[in-house]
Amino acid sequence: MNIGDMRHRIILQKKVDITDADGFTTQQWQDVATVWAAVENLSGREYWQAAAVQAENTVKFTIRYRQDLDTSMRIKFRDKYYNIIAIDNIKYRNEYIEIKTQEVVQSGS
């Protein structure tokens, strides 16, 4: 990974419970962090593996390592939202994380 490849800003989001004045609880997406990322469309073997599970618009993001990332979160990139499918701590070095995602067709922000 070349640090120069990480030239896109993405927003990591997680769902949180919000209680309104009437005591009703709803879930909303909340920004966790804005980070630099390398962004790639999946190609070749990775694309066909993703297609086998009907994952359309699959995108791979690579960011610096962080511990607070999990598959219940999503990524906002260029006004589109991406559900996290898989997280890979590359070579277990705690340096970079590869995040495979699928675009959310209707975000319902």
Side-chain angles (χ1 to χ4, degrees), residues 3 12 20 29 40 46 73:
I3 199 73
L12 304 174
D20 65 19
W29 289 101
E40 302 174 56
E46 285 182 299
M73 299 169 78

Side-chain angles (χ1 to χ4, degrees), residues 3-65:
I3 199 73
D5 294 336
M6 299 175 71
R7 60 181 173 271
H8 302 281
R9 296 296 270 174
I10 64 171
I11 299 171
L12 304 174
Q13 296 182 320
K14 69 176 178 179
K15 269 197 175 174
V16 295
D17 290 331
I18 305 291
T19 304
D20 65 19
D22 297 322
F24 293 102
T25 302
T26 58
Q27 286 195 324
Q28 294 181 358
W29 289 101
Q30 181 179 65
D31 293 356
V32 173
T34 301
V35 299
W36 291 103
V39 181
E40 302 174 56
N41 289 319
L42 292 186
S43 59
R45 187 177 66 177
E46 285 182 299
Y47 173 82
W48 293 110
Q49 286 173 342
V53 292
Q54 299 171 344
E56 295 179 24
N57 301 324
T58 306
V59 177
K60 179 171 66 175
F61 297 91
T62 304
I63 64 171
R64 287 186 179 274
Y65 177 80

